[in-house]
Amino acid sequence: MHPRLTMVLPLLFACMIGAPAAGQSSKPAPAAAALKGGEIRLTYLGNAGWEITDGRTVVLVDPFLTQFARWGPSGVEPAPGDIYSPDTALINRHVPRADYIVITHGHSDHALDAGYISRRTGAVIIGHETAANLARAYDVPDSSLITVIGGEDYEFANFSLRVIPNIHSALDQKHYYNNTRGITGNAPRGLRAPLRRKDYVEGGNLAYLLRMGGHEVLIMGSMNYIEREMEGLRPDIALVGANSQRLEIHDYTGRLMRALGKPVLVIASHADAYGNPNPSPAALADRRRFEQEVLAASPASRVVHPTWFEPIVVSAVPPKPVASNTGAAEPQAVNPPGISPLVPAYSVAIRTGDQVFVSGMTGIKPGTQDIIEGGVTAQTRQTLENIRTSLGAAGAAMSDVTECTVFLMDMADYAAMNGVYTEFFKVNPPARATVAVSALPRPAARVEIKCSAQTRRR
Ligand SMILES: [Zn+2]
Protein backbone atom coordinates (compact mmCIF):
# COMPACT_ATOMS: atom_id res chain seq x y z
CA MET A 1 0.00 0.00 0.00
CA HIS A 2 1.53 3.27 -1.02
CA PRO A 3 0.92 6.43 0.94
CA ARG A 4 -1.00 8.85 -1.24
CA LEU A 5 1.25 11.78 -0.64
CA THR A 6 1.68 14.63 -2.96
CA MET A 7 5.23 14.89 -4.20
CA VAL A 8 6.31 18.49 -4.53
CA LEU A 9 9.26 18.79 -6.80
CA PRO A 10 11.28 21.96 -6.63
CA LEU A 11 13.01 22.26 -9.96
CA LEU A 12 16.36 23.33 -8.66
CA PHE A 13 17.61 20.40 -6.69
CA ALA A 14 18.72 17.21 -8.32
CA CYS A 15 17.82 13.98 -6.62
CA MET A 16 16.27 10.67 -7.46
CA ILE A 17 12.74 10.15 -6.30
CA GLY A 18 9.81 7.98 -7.16
CA ALA A 19 9.71 4.25 -6.64
CA PRO A 20 8.93 1.94 -9.53
CA ALA A 21 5.27 1.29 -9.86
CA ALA A 22 5.47 -2.31 -8.66
CA GLY A 23 2.67 -3.56 -6.50
CA GLN A 24 0.57 -0.43 -6.56
CA SER A 25 -3.17 -0.65 -6.81
CA SER A 26 -5.63 1.47 -8.72
CA LYS A 27 -6.96 3.42 -5.76
CA PRO A 28 -9.10 6.47 -6.35
CA ALA A 29 -7.25 9.72 -6.71
CA PRO A 30 -6.88 11.72 -3.49
CA ALA A 31 -8.63 15.03 -3.17
CA ALA A 32 -6.34 17.42 -4.99
CA ALA A 33 -4.76 20.16 -2.91
CA ALA A 34 -4.97 23.66 -4.28
CA LEU A 35 -2.05 24.70 -6.44
CA LYS A 36 -0.03 27.83 -5.88
CA GLY A 37 0.66 30.17 -8.76
CA GLY A 38 3.05 28.68 -11.27
CA GLU A 39 2.65 25.14 -9.98
CA ILE A 40 1.32 22.40 -12.16
CA ARG A 41 0.22 18.95 -11.14
CA LEU A 42 0.76 15.83 -13.21
CA THR A 43 -1.07 12.67 -12.21
CA TYR A 44 -0.21 9.39 -13.85
CA LEU A 45 -3.24 7.49 -15.13
CA GLY A 46 -1.33 4.45 -16.39
CA ASN A 47 0.28 3.55 -19.73
CA ALA A 48 0.82 6.89 -21.54
CA GLY A 49 -2.09 8.49 -19.68
CA TRP A 50 -1.80 11.71 -17.70
CA GLU A 51 -3.90 14.37 -16.08
CA ILE A 52 -2.12 17.72 -16.21
CA THR A 53 -3.56 20.79 -14.54
CA ASP A 54 -2.61 24.23 -13.30
CA GLY A 55 -5.66 24.19 -11.02
CA ARG A 56 -7.81 25.90 -13.63
CA THR A 57 -7.75 23.74 -16.74
CA VAL A 58 -7.54 19.94 -16.80
CA VAL A 59 -5.81 18.39 -19.80
CA LEU A 60 -5.79 14.62 -20.16
CA VAL A 61 -3.28 12.74 -22.28
CA ASP A 62 -4.11 9.33 -23.80
CA PRO A 63 -6.39 8.28 -20.93
CA PHE A 64 -6.55 4.47 -20.72
CA LEU A 65 -7.95 3.62 -17.32
CA THR A 66 -9.41 0.47 -18.85
CA GLN A 67 -5.95 -1.12 -18.76
CA PHE A 68 -6.42 -1.85 -15.07
CA ALA A 69 -9.46 -4.05 -15.75
CA ARG A 70 -7.21 -6.62 -17.42
CA TRP A 71 -5.41 -7.41 -14.16
CA GLY A 72 -8.54 -8.06 -12.11
CA PRO A 73 -9.76 -11.58 -11.25
CA SER A 74 -11.73 -11.92 -14.49
CA GLY A 75 -9.49 -9.76 -16.65
CA VAL A 76 -8.36 -10.94 -20.06
CA GLU A 77 -6.43 -9.29 -22.82
CA PRO A 78 -8.88 -8.81 -25.67
CA ALA A 79 -8.00 -10.42 -28.98
CA PRO A 80 -7.96 -8.20 -32.10
CA GLY A 81 -11.45 -9.27 -33.11
CA ASP A 82 -12.98 -8.88 -29.65
CA ILE A 83 -15.27 -6.06 -28.66
CA TYR A 84 -13.19 -3.65 -26.60
CA SER A 85 -15.15 -1.11 -24.60
CA PRO A 86 -14.06 1.46 -22.03
CA ASP A 87 -14.38 0.36 -18.40
CA THR A 88 -16.75 3.10 -17.34
CA ALA A 89 -16.53 2.28 -13.62
CA LEU A 90 -12.76 2.71 -13.61
CA ILE A 91 -13.01 5.91 -15.64
CA ASN A 92 -15.72 7.40 -13.43
CA ARG A 93 -13.62 6.64 -10.38
CA HIS A 94 -10.43 8.27 -11.63
CA VAL A 95 -11.51 11.01 -14.02
CA PRO A 96 -13.80 13.46 -12.25
CA ARG A 97 -13.24 16.22 -14.76
CA ALA A 98 -11.57 16.98 -18.07
CA ASP A 99 -11.49 20.05 -20.28
CA TYR A 100 -9.26 18.75 -23.08
CA ILE A 101 -7.99 15.31 -24.09
CA VAL A 102 -4.92 15.12 -26.30
CA ILE A 103 -4.38 11.86 -28.17
CA THR A 104 -0.98 10.80 -29.50
CA HIS A 105 -2.36 8.00 -31.71
CA GLY A 106 -5.30 5.72 -32.23
CA HIS A 107 -4.17 2.43 -30.66
CA SER A 108 -6.54 1.13 -28.03
CA ASP A 109 -4.04 1.73 -25.21
CA HIS A 110 -4.15 5.44 -26.09
CA ALA A 111 -7.55 6.20 -27.58
CA LEU A 112 -9.96 3.68 -26.08
CA ASP A 113 -11.34 5.80 -23.25
CA ALA A 114 -11.36 9.23 -24.87
CA GLY A 115 -14.78 9.09 -26.54
CA TYR A 116 -16.58 8.03 -23.39
CA ILE A 117 -14.74 10.63 -21.28
CA SER A 118 -15.56 13.38 -23.76
CA ARG A 119 -19.24 12.47 -23.73
CA ARG A 120 -19.30 12.39 -19.95
CA THR A 121 -17.28 15.55 -19.25
CA GLY A 122 -17.69 17.60 -22.41
CA ALA A 123 -13.91 17.59 -22.91
CA VAL A 124 -12.58 18.59 -26.32
CA ILE A 125 -10.50 15.86 -27.99
CA ILE A 126 -7.39 16.95 -29.89
CA GLY A 127 -5.78 14.41 -32.20
CA HIS A 128 -5.43 13.03 -35.70
CA GLU A 129 -8.42 12.27 -37.91
CA THR A 130 -8.31 8.67 -36.66
CA ALA A 131 -8.68 9.82 -33.04
CA ALA A 132 -11.62 11.96 -34.14
CA ASN A 133 -13.29 9.10 -36.01
CA LEU A 134 -12.87 6.73 -33.06
CA ALA A 135 -14.49 9.36 -30.84
CA ARG A 136 -17.30 9.93 -33.35
CA ALA A 137 -18.14 6.23 -32.87
CA TYR A 138 -19.15 7.31 -29.35
CA ASP A 139 -21.27 10.18 -30.68
CA VAL A 140 -18.76 12.86 -29.72
CA PRO A 141 -19.96 15.90 -31.68
CA ASP A 142 -17.65 17.72 -34.08
CA SER A 143 -17.80 20.75 -31.80
CA SER A 144 -15.79 18.66 -29.28
CA LEU A 145 -13.20 17.50 -31.82
CA ILE A 146 -10.12 19.40 -32.95
CA THR A 147 -8.35 17.50 -35.70
CA VAL A 148 -4.65 18.23 -36.13
CA ILE A 149 -1.94 16.86 -38.40
CA GLY A 150 1.29 18.04 -36.71
CA GLY A 151 2.91 21.45 -36.99
CA GLU A 152 0.06 23.42 -35.43
CA ASP A 153 0.77 25.69 -32.46
CA TYR A 154 -2.58 26.57 -30.97
CA GLU A 155 -3.40 29.13 -28.31
CA PHE A 156 -6.16 28.25 -25.83
CA ALA A 157 -7.60 30.25 -22.96
CA ASN A 158 -5.18 28.97 -20.35
CA PHE A 159 -2.47 27.09 -22.20
CA SER A 160 -0.95 26.64 -25.60
CA LEU A 161 -0.26 23.43 -27.46
CA ARG A 162 2.35 22.78 -30.10
CA VAL A 163 1.56 19.69 -32.14
CA ILE A 164 4.70 17.78 -33.05
CA PRO A 165 4.91 15.32 -35.97
CA ASN A 166 6.06 12.01 -34.55
CA ILE A 167 6.54 8.34 -35.40
CA HIS A 168 5.48 5.17 -33.62
CA SER A 169 7.67 2.67 -31.79
CA ALA A 170 9.37 0.26 -34.18
CA LEU A 171 7.26 -2.74 -33.19
CA ASP A 172 7.66 -6.22 -34.67
CA GLN A 173 11.45 -6.02 -34.98
CA LYS A 174 11.12 -2.91 -37.15
CA HIS A 175 8.52 -4.49 -39.45
CA TYR A 176 5.82 -2.36 -37.87
CA TYR A 177 4.66 -0.76 -41.10
CA ASN A 178 4.40 -4.15 -42.83
CA ASN A 179 1.06 -4.09 -41.02
CA THR A 180 0.81 -7.82 -40.42
CA ARG A 181 -1.17 -7.14 -37.26
CA GLY A 182 -3.46 -4.59 -38.84
CA ILE A 183 -2.59 -1.85 -36.37
CA THR A 184 -1.40 0.79 -38.80
CA GLY A 185 -3.54 2.80 -41.20
CA ASN A 186 -6.44 5.13 -40.48
CA ALA A 187 -9.81 4.63 -38.83
CA PRO A 188 -12.62 5.54 -41.26
CA ARG A 189 -15.61 7.74 -40.61
CA GLY A 190 -18.82 5.94 -39.85
CA LEU A 191 -17.63 3.57 -37.09
CA ARG A 192 -20.18 2.88 -34.39
CA ALA A 193 -19.50 1.76 -30.84
CA PRO A 194 -19.04 -0.85 -29.59
CA LEU A 195 -15.77 -1.18 -31.46
CA ARG A 196 -13.39 -4.10 -31.73
CA ARG A 197 -9.81 -3.88 -30.61
CA LYS A 198 -8.63 -4.00 -34.23
CA ASP A 199 -10.61 -0.84 -35.00
CA TYR A 200 -8.09 1.11 -32.94
CA VAL A 201 -5.47 1.60 -35.64
CA GLU A 202 -2.62 4.04 -35.23
CA GLY A 203 -3.70 6.75 -37.66
CA GLY A 204 -0.34 8.51 -37.50
CA ASN A 205 1.51 9.70 -34.46
CA LEU A 206 1.86 12.96 -32.62
CA ALA A 207 3.82 14.36 -29.71
CA TYR A 208 2.88 17.63 -28.02
CA LEU A 209 4.47 20.52 -26.20
CA LEU A 210 1.98 21.78 -23.61
CA ARG A 211 2.73 25.22 -22.19
CA MET A 212 0.83 25.80 -18.98
CA GLY A 213 1.45 27.86 -15.85
CA GLY A 214 4.91 28.91 -17.04
CA HIS A 215 5.95 25.28 -17.60
CA GLU A 216 6.61 23.50 -20.85
CA VAL A 217 5.70 19.83 -20.84
CA LEU A 218 6.80 17.52 -23.64
CA ILE A 219 4.26 14.75 -24.16
CA MET A 220 5.20 11.52 -25.91
CA GLY A 221 3.03 8.45 -26.40
CA SER A 222 5.47 6.18 -28.22
CA MET A 223 9.04 5.01 -27.99
CA ASN A 224 10.19 6.96 -31.02
CA TYR A 225 10.51 10.52 -32.29
CA ILE A 226 11.79 12.59 -35.20
CA GLU A 227 14.97 14.19 -33.93
CA ARG A 228 14.72 17.38 -35.96
CA GLU A 229 11.17 17.94 -34.66
CA MET A 230 12.45 17.74 -31.07
CA GLU A 231 15.60 19.77 -31.69
CA GLY A 232 15.45 23.12 -29.98
CA LEU A 233 12.39 22.43 -27.82
CA ARG A 234 13.18 23.33 -24.22
CA PRO A 235 10.64 21.62 -21.95
CA ASP A 236 11.34 21.72 -18.23
CA ILE A 237 9.27 18.53 -17.89
CA ALA A 238 9.50 15.68 -20.40
CA LEU A 239 7.06 12.76 -20.38
CA VAL A 240 9.24 10.36 -22.32
CA GLY A 241 8.05 7.09 -23.81
CA ALA A 242 10.34 4.78 -21.89
CA ASN A 243 9.49 1.09 -22.22
CA SER A 244 11.98 -1.36 -23.72
CA GLN A 245 10.73 -0.72 -27.26
CA ARG A 246 13.04 2.33 -27.14
CA LEU A 247 16.00 -0.08 -27.41
CA GLU A 248 15.10 -0.62 -31.09
CA ILE A 249 16.11 2.99 -31.72
CA HIS A 250 19.69 4.22 -32.08
CA ASP A 251 20.78 6.10 -28.94
CA TYR A 252 17.12 6.81 -28.17
CA THR A 253 17.55 8.51 -24.82
CA GLY A 254 20.83 10.31 -25.48
CA ARG A 255 19.73 11.89 -28.75
CA LEU A 256 16.43 12.93 -27.20
CA MET A 257 18.02 14.49 -24.11
CA ARG A 258 20.44 16.50 -26.24
CA ALA A 259 17.74 17.62 -28.69
CA LEU A 260 15.58 18.82 -25.79
CA GLY A 261 18.41 20.68 -24.02
CA LYS A 262 18.52 18.18 -21.13
CA PRO A 263 15.22 18.72 -19.35
CA VAL A 264 15.29 19.26 -15.59
CA LEU A 265 12.59 16.66 -14.94
CA VAL A 266 12.30 13.50 -17.01
CA ILE A 267 9.27 11.33 -16.25
CA ALA A 268 9.07 7.82 -17.66
CA SER A 269 5.78 7.27 -19.46
CA HIS A 270 4.35 4.15 -21.14
CA ALA A 271 6.67 2.03 -18.97
CA ASP A 272 4.26 0.57 -16.40
CA ALA A 273 3.88 -2.90 -17.97
CA TYR A 274 0.36 -2.00 -19.17
CA GLY A 275 -1.04 -1.83 -15.68
CA ASN A 276 0.44 -5.09 -14.42
CA PRO A 277 0.66 -4.71 -10.62
CA ASN A 278 3.47 -7.29 -10.56
CA PRO A 279 5.80 -6.30 -13.40
CA SER A 280 8.50 -8.75 -14.41
CA PRO A 281 12.04 -8.43 -13.04
CA ALA A 282 13.10 -7.63 -16.60
CA ALA A 283 10.66 -4.68 -16.72
CA LEU A 284 11.93 -3.36 -13.39
CA ALA A 285 15.55 -3.73 -14.50
CA ASP A 286 14.71 -1.85 -17.67
CA ARG A 287 13.36 1.07 -15.63
CA ARG A 288 16.74 1.36 -13.94
CA ARG A 289 18.44 1.13 -17.30
CA PHE A 290 16.34 4.02 -18.60
CA GLU A 291 17.35 6.12 -15.60
CA GLN A 292 20.98 5.37 -16.31
CA GLU A 293 20.54 6.34 -19.95
CA VAL A 294 19.04 9.69 -18.97
CA LEU A 295 21.70 10.44 -16.38
CA ALA A 296 24.50 9.46 -18.75
CA ALA A 297 23.29 12.05 -21.25
CA SER A 298 21.92 14.60 -18.80
CA PRO A 299 23.49 14.18 -15.33
CA ALA A 300 21.56 17.07 -13.79
CA SER A 301 18.15 15.74 -14.80
CA ARG A 302 15.86 14.19 -12.24
CA VAL A 303 14.28 10.92 -13.42
CA VAL A 304 10.93 9.89 -12.04
CA HIS A 305 9.08 6.62 -12.47
CA PRO A 306 5.57 7.75 -11.63
CA THR A 307 3.20 5.92 -9.33
CA TRP A 308 -0.36 5.47 -10.55
CA PHE A 309 -2.68 8.24 -9.35
CA GLU A 310 -0.04 9.84 -7.14
CA PRO A 311 0.12 13.55 -7.97
CA ILE A 312 3.43 15.09 -8.90
CA VAL A 313 3.39 18.82 -8.20
CA VAL A 314 6.10 20.80 -9.96
CA SER A 315 6.92 24.16 -8.45
CA ALA A 316 6.92 27.44 -10.31
CA VAL A 317 9.65 28.07 -12.84
CA PRO A 318 11.99 30.81 -11.52
CA PRO A 319 11.57 34.12 -13.34
CA LYS A 320 13.78 34.54 -16.33
CA PRO A 321 16.38 37.33 -16.39
CA VAL A 322 15.08 40.69 -17.53
CA ALA A 323 16.07 41.41 -21.11
CA SER A 324 17.14 44.90 -22.12
CA ASN A 325 15.71 46.59 -25.18
CA THR A 326 18.71 45.31 -27.12
CA GLY A 327 17.54 41.81 -26.43
CA ALA A 328 20.57 41.01 -24.26
CA ALA A 329 19.95 39.98 -20.66
CA GLU A 330 20.81 42.68 -18.10
CA PRO A 331 23.22 41.56 -15.39
CA GLN A 332 21.37 40.94 -12.14
CA ALA A 333 23.06 41.28 -8.75
CA VAL A 334 22.19 38.47 -6.36
CA ASN A 335 22.75 38.97 -2.63
CA PRO A 336 21.05 36.29 -0.56
CA PRO A 337 20.23 37.26 3.02
CA GLY A 338 22.68 35.92 5.58
CA ILE A 339 25.68 35.90 3.27
CA SER A 340 25.45 39.36 1.71
CA PRO A 341 28.63 41.43 1.79
CA LEU A 342 28.99 44.05 4.54
CA VAL A 343 30.36 46.60 2.08
CA PRO A 344 28.91 47.30 -1.35
CA ALA A 345 32.19 46.54 -3.09
CA TYR A 346 30.95 43.38 -4.73
CA SER A 347 27.84 41.20 -5.17
CA VAL A 348 27.63 37.65 -3.91
CA ALA A 349 26.71 36.63 -7.44
CA ILE A 350 25.91 38.14 -10.80
CA ARG A 351 23.57 36.49 -13.24
CA THR A 352 23.73 37.51 -16.86
CA GLY A 353 21.64 35.47 -19.24
CA ASP A 354 22.32 31.86 -18.43
CA GLN A 355 25.68 32.62 -16.81
CA VAL A 356 26.10 32.92 -13.04
CA PHE A 357 29.31 34.22 -11.47
CA VAL A 358 29.74 33.63 -7.74
CA SER A 359 32.24 35.71 -5.77
CA GLY A 360 34.93 34.10 -3.66
CA MET A 361 33.12 32.50 -0.73
CA THR A 362 34.50 31.47 2.62
CA GLY A 363 33.12 29.38 5.44
CA ILE A 364 31.20 32.12 7.19
CA LYS A 365 28.24 30.97 9.19
CA PRO A 366 25.17 32.50 7.48
CA GLY A 367 23.77 35.45 9.38
CA THR A 368 27.13 36.15 11.06
CA GLN A 369 30.54 37.34 10.02
CA ASP A 370 32.21 34.42 11.77
CA ILE A 371 34.19 31.73 10.04
CA ILE A 372 32.88 28.36 11.14
CA GLU A 373 35.03 26.33 13.55
CA GLY A 374 36.49 22.96 12.68
CA GLY A 375 39.41 23.73 10.39
CA VAL A 376 39.66 23.35 6.66
CA THR A 377 37.24 20.41 6.45
CA ALA A 378 34.37 22.26 8.12
CA GLN A 379 35.25 25.48 6.31
CA THR A 380 35.20 23.80 2.90
CA ARG A 381 31.79 22.31 3.60
CA GLN A 382 30.37 25.64 4.78
CA THR A 383 31.96 27.46 1.83
CA LEU A 384 30.29 25.09 -0.62
CA GLU A 385 26.98 25.35 1.21
CA ASN A 386 27.24 29.14 0.89
CA ILE A 387 27.95 28.70 -2.82
CA ARG A 388 24.91 26.43 -3.11
CA THR A 389 22.78 29.12 -1.44
CA SER A 390 24.16 31.78 -3.80
CA LEU A 391 23.53 29.68 -6.89
CA GLY A 392 20.02 28.84 -5.74
CA ALA A 393 19.24 32.52 -5.28
CA ALA A 394 20.46 33.09 -8.83
CA GLY A 395 18.32 30.28 -10.26
CA ALA A 396 21.20 27.82 -10.65
CA ALA A 397 22.25 24.58 -8.98
CA MET A 398 25.54 22.97 -8.03
CA SER A 399 25.16 20.72 -11.05
CA ASP A 400 25.32 23.82 -13.27
CA VAL A 401 28.81 24.82 -12.03
CA THR A 402 31.30 24.82 -14.89
CA GLU A 403 34.49 26.03 -13.17
CA CYS A 404 35.89 26.70 -9.70
CA THR A 405 39.02 28.26 -8.30
CA VAL A 406 40.10 27.10 -4.84
CA PHE A 407 42.39 29.31 -2.75
CA LEU A 408 44.12 27.56 0.15
CA MET A 409 46.20 29.16 2.85
CA ASP A 410 48.28 25.98 2.98
CA MET A 411 48.60 23.39 0.21
CA ALA A 412 48.93 20.81 3.01
CA ASP A 413 45.12 21.21 3.32
CA TYR A 414 44.62 20.00 -0.25
CA ALA A 415 43.53 16.44 0.60
CA ALA A 416 41.16 17.54 3.38
CA MET A 417 39.57 20.18 1.13
CA ASN A 418 39.29 17.71 -1.73
CA GLY A 419 37.57 15.10 0.44
CA VAL A 420 34.68 17.47 1.11
CA TYR A 421 34.72 19.13 -2.30
CA THR A 422 34.13 15.87 -4.15
CA GLU A 423 31.01 15.22 -2.06
CA PHE A 424 29.47 18.28 -3.73
CA PHE A 425 30.50 17.43 -7.28
CA LYS A 426 30.05 13.69 -7.64
CA VAL A 427 29.32 13.59 -11.38
CA ASN A 428 31.24 15.46 -14.08
CA PRO A 429 33.00 17.82 -11.63
CA PRO A 430 33.68 21.34 -12.86
CA ALA A 431 37.00 22.47 -14.29
CA ARG A 432 39.14 23.69 -11.38
CA ALA A 433 42.33 25.40 -10.38
CA THR A 434 43.71 25.16 -6.84
CA VAL A 435 46.33 27.63 -5.63
CA ALA A 436 47.99 28.41 -2.32
CA VAL A 437 47.99 32.08 -1.31
CA SER A 438 49.87 34.05 1.31
CA ALA A 439 46.76 35.67 2.83
CA LEU A 440 42.98 35.85 2.55
CA PRO A 441 40.85 38.90 3.46
CA ARG A 442 39.40 37.04 6.45
CA PRO A 443 42.28 36.04 8.70
CA ALA A 444 40.47 32.97 10.08
CA ALA A 445 39.69 31.62 6.63
CA ARG A 446 41.80 28.68 5.48
CA VAL A 447 39.94 28.25 2.19
CA GLU A 448 38.08 30.45 -0.29
CA ILE A 449 36.32 29.20 -3.43
CA LYS A 450 34.91 31.12 -6.38
CA CYS A 451 32.96 29.58 -9.23
CA SER A 452 30.93 30.16 -12.38
CA ALA A 453 27.87 28.31 -13.58
CA GLN A 454 25.81 28.01 -16.70
CA THR A 455 22.15 27.34 -16.18
CA ARG A 456 19.92 25.50 -18.52
CA ARG A 457 16.64 27.17 -19.36
CA ARG A 458 14.13 26.35 -16.67
ZN1 LIG B 1 0.80 2.42 -30.19
Short mmCIF file of all heavy atoms in Angstrom, two decimals, residues 20-24 71 271-287 308:
data_model
loop_
_atom_site.label_atom_id
_atom_site.label_comp_id
_atom_site.label_asym_id
_atom_site.label_seq_id
_atom_site.Cartn_x
_atom_site.Cartn_y
_atom_site.Cartn_z
N PRO A 20 9.62 2.61 -8.42
CA PRO A 20 8.93 1.94 -9.53
C PRO A 20 7.51 1.58 -9.13
O PRO A 20 7.20 1.42 -7.95
CB PRO A 20 9.79 0.69 -9.76
CG PRO A 20 11.14 1.04 -9.24
CD PRO A 20 10.87 1.96 -8.07
N ALA A 21 6.70 1.41 -10.12
CA ALA A 21 5.27 1.29 -9.86
C ALA A 21 4.87 -0.13 -9.45
O ALA A 21 3.71 -0.48 -9.51
CB ALA A 21 4.50 1.69 -11.12
N ALA A 22 5.80 -0.93 -9.01
CA ALA A 22 5.47 -2.31 -8.66
C ALA A 22 4.49 -2.36 -7.51
O ALA A 22 4.61 -1.64 -6.54
CB ALA A 22 6.74 -3.05 -8.28
N GLY A 23 3.53 -3.25 -7.63
CA GLY A 23 2.67 -3.56 -6.50
C GLY A 23 1.65 -2.51 -6.15
O GLY A 23 0.93 -2.65 -5.18
N GLN A 24 1.55 -1.44 -6.92
CA GLN A 24 0.57 -0.43 -6.56
C GLN A 24 -0.81 -0.86 -7.02
O GLN A 24 -0.95 -1.69 -7.90
CB GLN A 24 0.97 0.91 -7.15
CG GLN A 24 1.28 0.84 -8.62
CD GLN A 24 1.95 2.10 -9.09
OE1 GLN A 24 1.79 3.14 -8.51
NE2 GLN A 24 2.69 2.00 -10.16
N TRP A 71 -6.17 -6.74 -15.21
CA TRP A 71 -5.41 -7.41 -14.16
C TRP A 71 -6.30 -7.81 -12.99
O TRP A 71 -5.82 -8.31 -11.99
CB TRP A 71 -4.26 -6.51 -13.71
CG TRP A 71 -3.41 -6.14 -14.87
CD1 TRP A 71 -3.45 -4.97 -15.57
CD2 TRP A 71 -2.46 -6.97 -15.54
NE1 TRP A 71 -2.58 -5.01 -16.64
CE2 TRP A 71 -1.95 -6.23 -16.63
CE3 TRP A 71 -1.99 -8.27 -15.34
CZ2 TRP A 71 -0.99 -6.73 -17.51
CZ3 TRP A 71 -1.03 -8.76 -16.21
CH2 TRP A 71 -0.54 -8.00 -17.29
N ALA A 271 5.69 3.01 -19.43
CA ALA A 271 6.67 2.03 -18.97
C ALA A 271 6.16 1.32 -17.72
O ALA A 271 6.94 0.91 -16.87
CB ALA A 271 8.00 2.71 -18.70
N ASP A 272 4.84 1.17 -17.61
CA ASP A 272 4.26 0.57 -16.40
C ASP A 272 3.73 -0.84 -16.65
O ASP A 272 2.85 -1.31 -15.93
CB ASP A 272 3.15 1.46 -15.85
CG ASP A 272 1.94 1.51 -16.77
OD1 ASP A 272 2.10 1.23 -17.98
OD2 ASP A 272 0.83 1.80 -16.29
N ALA A 273 4.27 -1.51 -17.68
CA ALA A 273 3.88 -2.90 -17.97
C ALA A 273 2.37 -3.01 -18.19
O ALA A 273 1.74 -4.00 -17.79
CB ALA A 273 4.36 -3.85 -16.87
N TYR A 274 1.78 -2.00 -18.80
CA TYR A 274 0.36 -2.00 -19.17
C TYR A 274 -0.55 -2.29 -17.98
O TYR A 274 -1.54 -3.02 -18.09
CB TYR A 274 0.09 -2.99 -20.32
CG TYR A 274 0.87 -2.64 -21.56
CD1 TYR A 274 2.12 -3.19 -21.83
CD2 TYR A 274 0.37 -1.69 -22.47
CE1 TYR A 274 2.85 -2.84 -22.95
CE2 TYR A 274 1.10 -1.33 -23.60
CZ TYR A 274 2.33 -1.91 -23.84
OH TYR A 274 3.04 -1.56 -24.94
N GLY A 275 -0.17 -1.72 -16.85
CA GLY A 275 -1.04 -1.83 -15.68
C GLY A 275 -0.81 -3.07 -14.84
O GLY A 275 -1.54 -3.29 -13.86
N ASN A 276 0.17 -3.87 -15.19
CA ASN A 276 0.44 -5.09 -14.42
C ASN A 276 0.95 -4.72 -13.03
O ASN A 276 1.99 -4.09 -12.90
CB ASN A 276 1.49 -5.92 -15.16
CG ASN A 276 1.74 -7.26 -14.50
OD1 ASN A 276 1.31 -7.49 -13.36
ND2 ASN A 276 2.42 -8.14 -15.21
N PRO A 277 0.21 -5.09 -11.97
CA PRO A 277 0.66 -4.71 -10.62
C PRO A 277 1.90 -5.47 -10.18
O PRO A 277 2.53 -5.09 -9.20
CB PRO A 277 -0.54 -5.06 -9.73
CG PRO A 277 -1.31 -6.08 -10.50
CD PRO A 277 -1.06 -5.81 -11.96
N ASN A 278 2.26 -6.52 -10.89
CA ASN A 278 3.47 -7.29 -10.56
C ASN A 278 4.36 -7.38 -11.80
O ASN A 278 4.46 -8.45 -12.43
CB ASN A 278 3.10 -8.69 -10.06
CG ASN A 278 2.28 -8.61 -8.79
OD1 ASN A 278 2.74 -8.09 -7.78
ND2 ASN A 278 1.04 -9.09 -8.86
N PRO A 279 4.99 -6.28 -12.17
CA PRO A 279 5.80 -6.30 -13.40
C PRO A 279 6.97 -7.26 -13.26
O PRO A 279 7.43 -7.55 -12.17
CB PRO A 279 6.28 -4.85 -13.52
CG PRO A 279 6.16 -4.27 -12.15
CD PRO A 279 5.03 -4.99 -11.49
N SER A 280 7.43 -7.75 -14.39
CA SER A 280 8.50 -8.75 -14.41
C SER A 280 9.80 -8.12 -13.92
O SER A 280 10.00 -6.90 -14.04
CB SER A 280 8.70 -9.26 -15.84
OG SER A 280 9.21 -8.22 -16.65
N PRO A 281 10.71 -8.96 -13.40
CA PRO A 281 12.04 -8.43 -13.04
C PRO A 281 12.71 -7.74 -14.21
O PRO A 281 13.40 -6.74 -14.04
CB PRO A 281 12.81 -9.68 -12.60
CG PRO A 281 11.75 -10.65 -12.16
CD PRO A 281 10.56 -10.38 -13.04
N ALA A 282 12.49 -8.25 -15.42
CA ALA A 282 13.10 -7.63 -16.60
C ALA A 282 12.56 -6.21 -16.79
O ALA A 282 13.32 -5.28 -17.12
CB ALA A 282 12.83 -8.47 -17.83
N ALA A 283 11.25 -6.02 -16.56
CA ALA A 283 10.66 -4.68 -16.72
C ALA A 283 11.22 -3.73 -15.67
O ALA A 283 11.52 -2.56 -15.97
CB ALA A 283 9.14 -4.76 -16.62
N LEU A 284 11.39 -4.23 -14.45
CA LEU A 284 11.93 -3.36 -13.39
C LEU A 284 13.39 -3.02 -13.67
O LEU A 284 13.82 -1.88 -13.47
CB LEU A 284 11.80 -4.06 -12.02
CG LEU A 284 10.35 -4.26 -11.55
CD1 LEU A 284 10.32 -5.08 -10.27
CD2 LEU A 284 9.65 -2.91 -11.35
N ALA A 285 14.15 -4.00 -14.17
CA ALA A 285 15.55 -3.73 -14.50
C ALA A 285 15.63 -2.71 -15.63
O ALA A 285 16.52 -1.85 -15.65
CB ALA A 285 16.25 -5.02 -14.89
N ASP A 286 14.68 -2.80 -16.55
CA ASP A 286 14.71 -1.85 -17.67
C ASP A 286 14.42 -0.43 -17.21
O ASP A 286 14.92 0.53 -17.78
CB ASP A 286 13.71 -2.28 -18.75
CG ASP A 286 13.88 -1.45 -20.00
OD1 ASP A 286 14.99 -1.47 -20.57
OD2 ASP A 286 12.94 -0.74 -20.38
N ARG A 287 13.59 -0.28 -16.16
CA ARG A 287 13.36 1.07 -15.63
C ARG A 287 14.67 1.67 -15.12
O ARG A 287 14.95 2.84 -15.34
CB ARG A 287 12.34 1.02 -14.49
CG ARG A 287 10.95 0.71 -14.98
CD ARG A 287 9.97 0.57 -13.84
NE ARG A 287 8.74 -0.01 -14.36
CZ ARG A 287 7.72 -0.38 -13.61
NH1 ARG A 287 7.76 -0.22 -12.31
NH2 ARG A 287 6.64 -0.89 -14.15
N TRP A 308 1.01 5.24 -10.09
CA TRP A 308 -0.36 5.47 -10.55
C TRP A 308 -1.13 6.35 -9.56
O TRP A 308 -1.16 6.07 -8.35
CB TRP A 308 -1.10 4.15 -10.71
CG TRP A 308 -0.52 3.25 -11.77
CD1 TRP A 308 -0.04 3.62 -12.99
CD2 TRP A 308 -0.36 1.83 -11.70
NE1 TRP A 308 0.41 2.53 -13.69
CE2 TRP A 308 0.22 1.42 -12.92
CE3 TRP A 308 -0.65 0.88 -10.72
CZ2 TRP A 308 0.52 0.08 -13.20
CZ3 TRP A 308 -0.35 -0.45 -10.99
CH2 TRP A 308 0.22 -0.84 -12.21
#
